[in-house]
Amino acid sequence: MTDMTPPQINQKLRIHTWWFTALLIAVNVSLFGWQILSGVNITDPSPLDAIAWGADFTPLTFLSQPERLFTSMFFHFGLIHLMLNMWALYIFGSVAEQLFGRSYYIGMYFLAGLMGSVLSSYLSIRDAYALLQNFDPALLPRISAGASGAVMGLGAALTVISLLPQLANQRFILDKKSLLMIMAINLVFGFTVSGINNAAHIGGMLMGGLLAGLWYLSQKTQRTGVFQFIALLVAVSTLSIFYWYCTRLSTELTPLWTEILRQNQISF
């Protein structure tokens, strides 16, 4: 990803152009430091610590604490997990914030992260119905967290823009080969390496791709601001409908959720 103007030697970081991305990184790093100081293991947090700090656990999320869909975006399972996500957030976010505009970028980041959380929960709900028919430890709900859903949403958004004809006033020239390779590698790792929440990645990518496509269309209209507001409204509506569907789907699972929480001595 390169700027259309020639690169300058010793060019400053110009953080003022992507300060919200810098703020997100600072918040995530600060929260991680706070967790470590409070006694959370720096490389392998315990499940109870993860839950205490807001990680997404479907039984809790869909019984009484839907805010976990949001708070889970700010908890990471160890230093390596944090570093990988923050590095990717810097790479994608510093460009996306300038390309899409800060307001649209903020909506894109959080909507992609929330869509990743909801899709992950949907798969847990689906597995829970299978669990009722035949017990399998692999189907038990897992604790999930991290900024990767939101970050992958940004990556997907940049990839979509790189594949479309360049806009006349587009600030950045995006390297589609590099972006496609990065996104493909992440998906392959998600499907082949255990412990990676690929559902969150895919959910974030779908939302990021949708918002990028709508943003691209907005640039061809005479009322860009109105069109972008409508685009964000469409995204919020899509997310809300999907969340409502998951909530309805999980209604019959309340006894199972309650039993899982009781066996793990988790209050709600």
Side-chain angles (χ1 to χ4, degrees), residues 50-51 53-73 113-114 116-122 124-125 141-145 197 242-244 246-248 250-251 253-254 257-258 260-261 266-268:
I51 289 174
W53 281 92
D56 182 20
F57 187 49
T58 305
L60 275 177
T61 300
F62 281 88
L63 273 181
S64 60
Q65 300 174 13
E67 66 273 9
R68 289 181 177 275
L69 295 171
F70 177 82
T71 59
S72 61
M73 297 165 58
L114 288 170
S117 296
V118 175
L119 182 59
S120 177
S121 292
Y122 166 74
S124 291
I125 293 169
R142 300 178 182 275
I143 300 169
S144 60
N197 188 355
F242 188 29
Y243 172 73
W244 172 83
C246 289
T247 302
R248 291 291 301 272
S250 67
T251 301
L253 297 171
T254 298
W257 295 151
T258 303
I260 289 174
L261 293 175
I266 299 172
S267 57
F268 64 98

Side-chain angles (χ1 to χ4, degrees), residues 33 36 48 50 91 105-106 146 161 167 171 251 253 261-263:
I36 301 309
L48 289 179
I91 296 297
Y105 166 79
I106 291 172
I161 299 302
L167 296 165
R171 179 173 182 182
T251 301
L253 297 171
L261 293 175
R262 187 190 66 80
Q263 289 185 6

Side-chain angles (χ1 to χ4, degrees), residues 213-240:
L214 293 174
W215 176 86
Y216 185 87
L217 291 175
S218 78
Q219 300 305 298
K220 295 182 174 296
T221 69
Q222 298 298 317
R223 306 182 68 182
T224 303
V226 173
F227 196 100
Q228 289 184 12
F229 176 78
I230 294 173
L232 289 171
L233 190 61
V234 168
V236 169
S237 300
T238 302
L239 176 63
S240 299

Side-chain angles (χ1 to χ4, degrees), residues 24-99:
L24 285 171
I25 294 172
V27 168
N28 277 278
V29 172
S30 297
L31 283 173
F32 185 78
W34 186 9
Q35 292 156 17
I36 301 309
L37 290 175
S38 70
V40 177
N41 190 294
I42 192 171
T43 59
D44 187 22
S46 70
L48 289 179
D49 280 337
I51 289 174
W53 281 92
D56 182 20
F57 187 49
T58 305
L60 275 177
T61 300
F62 281 88
L63 273 181
S64 60
Q65 300 174 13
E67 66 273 9
R68 289 181 177 275
L69 295 171
F70 177 82
T71 59
S72 61
M73 297 165 58
F74 294 92
F75 180 85
H76 289 85
F77 292 104
L79 184 60
I80 294 178
H81 187 209
L82 174 74
M83 291 175 63
L84 289 174
N85 275 341
M86 293 305 99
W87 174 247
L89 176 54
Y90 163 69
I91 296 297
F92 293 146
S94 60
V95 173
E97 185 171 348
Q98 298 176 71
L99 177 65

